[in-house]
Amino acid sequence: MAVAQVSTENVTLYFADPSGTLLVPVHRNTRVENNRVATAAVNELIAGPRNGLNRMVSAEARLLELRIEKGRAIANFDRDPGGYDAIVFTLTEFSSISSVQIQVNGANLGGVRARPILNPLNPQNLAVNYSATEFLPLYFPSATSNHDIRLMRMVPKTKQTAQATVQALLEGPGAYNGLVRRVLPEGTQLRGIKLNGDVALVDFTEPFAHAPELDAAMRTVVESLTTLKTIRGVQFLVEGNPFADGKIFRLPAAINQE
């Protein structure tokens, strides 16, 4: 019998927050056999969450086979696994997968599923029109677990993406208020953003310096801005003066690492 090649890979998994309303990406070091990382990721969804999150995929389900054909993952289970969004989000984290077909004992369960918008937030009730609108990634701490949750806020398309992202953070989580915490203090205003190479210099007014949860406030700004392709670090200013000793804050290796 051939001996399986075993490695450890860091995979992104999606579970529900304690309310069951929001999807939360977590990063987990996972045992992988014979380079079948996507298979290992789905099996981790079945194994379930840790640290206060809720499962979406049934613990009773068993993955019979997972194959990838021309960018489509075909995941065949022995029963209805539930948690379709969790499966689709987890599998489309892989660059080789753009859509997912879920099967039960070889029979298609619904149609092909593309990746949906994660935790959409649309306070202006804008129509989805990718030539005129875009989604900004915003991070807020969960109100009920030790995780940072990503919301996707729809806004009119703008060339000032970094400024719009921070402004949206200042405006808060909107309809998700109570499920996530607003940690940028009320009364804080954005004085401006400048780019120095791949570092964003973010200048806030004085209330920012007195945030009750200053570490969380700074962290969520860094997480949100470094999701943008052109930004790799953030330097904070308050009223035009360097803050936090002028340190450049960069995104950790993985948000919500287990």
Side-chain angles (χ1 to χ4, degrees):
M1 179 179 296
V3 177
Q5 295 180 343
V6 177
S7 62
T8 299
E9 304 290 341
N10 195 270
V11 298
T12 304
L13 310 170
Y14 285 81
F15 299 104
D17 77 324
S19 74
T21 304
L22 297 168
L23 280 171
V24 184
V26 299
H27 299 268
R28 182 181 295 177
N29 290 325
T30 301
R31 184 180 185 274
V32 176
E33 292 187 359
N34 298 327
N35 297 317
R36 299 183 64 83
V37 187
T39 295
V42 174
N43 283 329
E44 288 293 331
L45 289 179
I46 295 171
R50 306 167 185 167
N51 303 325
L53 297 179
N54 286 342
R55 73 164 50 251
M56 299 181 71
V57 176
S58 170
E60 305 300 321
R62 184 165 64 93
L63 180 64
L64 302 177
E65 181 188 24
L66 192 149
R67 64 186 190 276
I68 302 171
E69 299 178 352
K70 297 181 179 179
R72 178 174 301 166
I74 302 169
N76 185 23
F77 296 86
D78 68 338
R79 67 194 68 196
D80 186 339
Y84 310 137
D85 281 350
I87 294 169
V88 173
F89 274 114
T90 295
L91 287 175
T92 54
E93 284 287 334
F94 297 98
S95 60
S96 59
I97 299 174
S98 58
S99 62
V100 178
Q101 175 67 66
I102 297 172
Q103 295 183 335
V104 174
N105 294 316
N108 289 347
L109 184 60
V112 175
R113 293 173 166 87
R115 186 182 179 94
I117 300 299
L118 178 68
N119 303 328
L121 180 62
N122 186 8
Q124 296 174 266
N125 294 315
L126 299 171
V128 177
N129 178 352
Y130 289 105
S131 66
T133 60
E134 61 184 301
F135 284 95
L136 301 178
L138 310 178
Y139 280 91
F140 294 89
S142 170
T144 51
S145 70
N146 295 321
H147 298 84
D148 287 343
I149 296 181
R150 183 176 180 176
L151 309 181
M152 298 299 293
R153 162 95 179 247
M154 181 182 279
V155 299
K157 190 174 285 294
T158 175
K159 294 182 179 179
Q160 305 297 325
T161 309
Q163 184 167 339
T165 297
V166 177
Q167 189 60 48
L169 280 174
L170 289 169
E171 292 172 8
Y176 296 119
N177 188 41
L179 299 177
V180 297
R181 300 198 317 278
R182 177 175 179 162
V183 289
L184 290 174
E186 294 280 355
T188 302
Q189 296 180 11
L190 177 65
R191 298 180 75 245
I193 291 182
K194 296 180 181 179
L195 290 180
N196 182 9
D198 63 359
V199 175
L201 282 68
V202 183
D203 189 2
F204 286 116
T205 54
E206 182 65 26
F208 175 79
H210 306 290
E213 297 183 74
L214 183 58
D215 287 346
M218 296 172 72
R219 185 182 70 247
T220 54
V221 172
V222 174
E223 289 172 343
S224 300
L225 284 177
T226 54
T227 303
L228 306 177
K229 293 180 180 179
T230 57
I231 298 176
R232 293 292 176 267
V234 176
Q235 198 168 12
F236 291 93
L237 297 89
V238 172
E239 301 291 350
N241 299 310
F243 186 70
D245 298 324
K247 178 180 176 181
I248 296 175
F249 293 85
R250 300 190 184 275
L251 188 68
I255 299 170
N256 298 333
Q257 177 69 49
E258 294 188 339

